[in-house]
């Protein structure tokens, strides 16, 4: 009797959630289908058709229904892969993923990558996720390349979405927002939401337009004093134009210093990506000072910035004080021979540093040799290590041979 009552309550909750989606997201398309699946409903019921637990939609897509674990005859490799996902509790609709409708409402994955839902879709998503029926359901939200801000012209939709996440989706652990032209205004709204989203482990804001103002807002929000219970492990900020205004170096310096200061003492941060932000040479010094002693940092990515030989020296000194650091990305940075020599010394002195990406970094052959010699005692696969430094088979072989003979 008790199990029957629990089952009835579950059915009633799923029905309420389906109605919430139908009420708040009237348009058809990827967003509607995904939310209906999250709610345990049938995405094909958009024209008033009776819901059948999602089976009709799964059959239409050639995917296994809850009653069948194998794809239908002649479905092909794509549906076979979908069948494997379904057996693990995940179904796929194009690039949109949501957990199988038969599962509980928690531990949900909502993948809208490449969906181009635009500001209207962002508002609809905010309304749906704010409903009592869907509150607390999301663990993973991928809104990569969704034009949430309408090519930077409309920030109100993003602000509404971030407020909804902060108010109703406090269990969120992965938030992927790359490629949405998010500018300073929506980044401030996200910064205000972050203290309420303390369970986030991965935050991807790559390929937006945060610039200096957005970086400062994030730095303030991520400071341990503002967000003491943050679980953030990966912060991806590549291609945001943080240092793009070279005529105003002061604000850029403040933004970099603020980020380094806020993240240097972060207890869980493992990956920091600031690649291709147009950061000036002084930024490496600020990062080196701010991140020194970082308790968990494993991977620091500064590819495509103006890290010169002096900046490499500052980062080398930092690496020696961060025992967890294993990888330093400096691809396309003008570190030259002196910088390579300093980094080679850092490899020898650092307890864990084993990978330094210096491809396209104008490092002369002698610098590559020094780095190969430093790597040799830790990694006998010298050919592989030298290939990463040089990018060409001939140069790698030469560096490896010379390193082996001089080690």
């Amino acid at each position: 009797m008790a199990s029957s009552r629990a089952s009835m309550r579950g059915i009633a909750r799923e029905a309420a959630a389906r109605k919430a989606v139908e009420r708040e997201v009237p348009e058809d398309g990827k967003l509607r289908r995904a939310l209906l699946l999250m709610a345990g409903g049938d995405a094909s019921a958009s024209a008033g058709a009776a819901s059948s637990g999602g089976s009709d939609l799964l059959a239409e897509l050639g995917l296994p229904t809850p009653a069948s674990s194998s794809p239908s005859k002649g479905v092909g490799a794509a549906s076979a892969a979908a069948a494997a996902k379904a057996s693990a509790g995940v179904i796929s609709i194009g690039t949109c993923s949501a957990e199988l409708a038969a599962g509980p409402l928690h531990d949900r994955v909502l993948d809208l990558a490449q969906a181009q839902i635009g500001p209207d879709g962002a508002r609809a998503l905010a309304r749906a996720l704010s409903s009592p029926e869907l509150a607390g359901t999301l663990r993973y939200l991928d809104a990569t390349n969704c034009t949430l801000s309408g090519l930077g012209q409309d920030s109100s939709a993003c602000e509404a979405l971030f407020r909804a996440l902060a108010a109703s989706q406090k269990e969120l652990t992965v938030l992927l927002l790359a490629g949405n032209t998010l500018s300073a205004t929506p980044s401030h709204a996200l910064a205000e939401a972050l203290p309420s989203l303390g369970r986030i482990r991965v935050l991807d804001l790559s390929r937006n337009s945060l610039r200096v103002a957005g970086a400062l807002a994030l730095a303030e929000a991520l400071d341990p004093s503002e967000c003491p219970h943050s679980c953030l492990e990966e912060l991806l900020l590549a291609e945001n134009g943080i240092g793009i205004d070279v005529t105003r170096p002061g604000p850029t310096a403040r933004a970099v210093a603020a980020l380094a200061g806020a993240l240097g003492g972060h207890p869980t941060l493992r990956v920091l990506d600031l690649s291709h932000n147009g950061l000036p040479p002084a930024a490496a010094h600020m990062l080196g000072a701010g991140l020194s002693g970082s308790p968990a940092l494993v991977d620091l990515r500064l590819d495509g910035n103006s890290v010169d030989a002096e900046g490499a020296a500052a980062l080398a000194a930092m690496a020696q004080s961060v025992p967890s650091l294993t990888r330093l990305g400096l691809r396309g940075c003008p570190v030259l021979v002196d910088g390579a020599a300093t980094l080679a010394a850092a490899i020898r002195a650092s307890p864990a540093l084993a990978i330094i990406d210096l491809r396209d970094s104008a490092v002369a052959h002698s610098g590559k040799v020094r780095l190969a010699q430093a790597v040799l005692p830790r990694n006998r696969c010298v050919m592989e290590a030298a290939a990463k430094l040089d990018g060409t088979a001939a140069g790698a072989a030469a560096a490896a041979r010379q390193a082996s003979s001089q080690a």
Side-chain angles (χ1 to χ4, degrees):
M1 181 67 70
S3 62
S4 176
R5 285 197 297 269
S7 177
M8 291 296 292
R9 284 197 297 270
I11 292 172
R13 188 181 179 192
E14 289 187 359
R18 288 196 298 272
K19 289 180 181 178
V21 174
E22 291 167 355
R23 180 176 66 249
E24 297 293 350
V25 191
E27 67 270 16
D28 291 334
K30 190 174 184 180
L31 174 60
R32 177 181 175 80
R33 292 196 301 270
L35 288 173
L36 281 169
L37 284 165
M38 282 181 62
D42 180 6
S44 65
S46 59
S51 172
S52 59
S55 299
D56 292 344
L57 176 63
L58 297 178
E60 178 185 343
L61 295 171
L63 298 174
T65 65
S68 171
S69 60
S70 60
S72 58
K73 184 177 180 180
V75 166
S79 290
K85 286 187 176 182
S87 67
V90 177
I91 62 173
S92 296
I93 304 175
T95 56
C96 178
S97 301
E99 287 192 3
L100 194 61
L105 280 176
H106 58 275
D107 289 330
R108 295 305 190 193
V109 173
L110 180 54
D111 185 347
L112 296 169
Q114 319 299 329
Q116 303 288 311
I117 63 175
D120 290 341
R123 292 189 185 91
L125 179 60
R127 292 194 299 270
L129 294 179
S130 296
S131 67
E133 297 85 359
L134 292 179
T137 58
L138 274 186
R139 298 295 185 277
Y140 180 112
L141 174 59
D142 188 349
T144 301
N145 294 337
C146 282
T147 60
L148 296 179
S149 61
L151 300 178
Q153 299 175 358
D154 186 354
S155 63
S156 61
C158 293
E159 295 174 44
L161 176 58
F162 298 151
R163 286 195 298 269
L165 292 175
S168 305
Q169 305 297 334
K170 297 181 184 295
E171 301 300 311
L172 193 66
T173 59
V174 177
L175 180 56
L176 310 180
L177 297 169
N180 280 292
T181 62
L182 301 180
S183 58
T185 302
S187 63
H188 275 85
L190 175 61
E192 292 176 358
L194 285 177
S196 298
L197 297 171
R199 292 183 180 270
I200 285 185
R201 296 184 181 277
V202 179
L203 178 59
D204 186 359
L205 293 169
S206 305
R207 295 181 288 106
N208 284 294
S209 300
L210 302 184
R211 303 293 179 94
V212 168
L216 285 170
L218 282 175
E220 183 176 352
L222 294 172
D223 191 287
S225 63
E226 295 292 328
C227 198
H229 304 297
S230 173
C231 298
L232 187 65
E233 295 181 4
E234 297 186 25
L235 179 60
L236 311 178
L237 299 175
E239 299 182 49
N240 269 288
I242 296 173
I244 206 69
D245 191 353
V246 296
T247 64
R248 301 173 63 229
T252 295
R254 287 199 300 274
V256 174
L259 278 172
L263 300 174
H266 201 287
T268 58
L269 186 70
R270 300 176 66 253
V271 179
L272 175 60
D273 188 356
L274 290 169
S275 301
H276 303 288
N277 269 295
L279 299 179
H285 294 269
M286 297 172 192
L287 289 168
L291 297 175
S292 181
S294 177
L297 189 64
V298 172
D299 186 356
L300 177 60
R301 306 171 190 173
L302 297 173
D303 308 297
N305 292 300
S306 297
V307 180
D308 56 14
E310 293 183 0
L315 294 173
M318 178 271 296
Q320 296 177 44
S321 68
V322 180
S324 56
L325 188 68
T326 61
R327 184 186 184 280
L328 181 59
L330 295 172
R331 182 171 185 173
C333 299
V335 299
L336 304 177
V337 176
D338 291 341
T342 302
L343 292 171
I347 291 177
R348 292 192 179 95
S350 301
L353 186 60
I355 299 174
I356 300 179
D357 189 347
L358 287 171
R359 288 172 291 178
D360 309 318
S361 294
V363 177
H365 181 73
S366 59
K368 295 171 190 172
V369 169
R370 291 195 184 189
L371 283 160
Q373 290 171 342
V375 170
L376 181 61
R378 288 189 190 171
N379 184 356
R380 304 303 299 184
C381 301
V382 182
M383 290 289 290
E384 179 183 351
K388 289 181 180 178
L389 297 174
D390 187 87
T392 64
R401 285 194 299 270
Q402 188 166 351
S404 298
S405 64
Q406 297 179 7

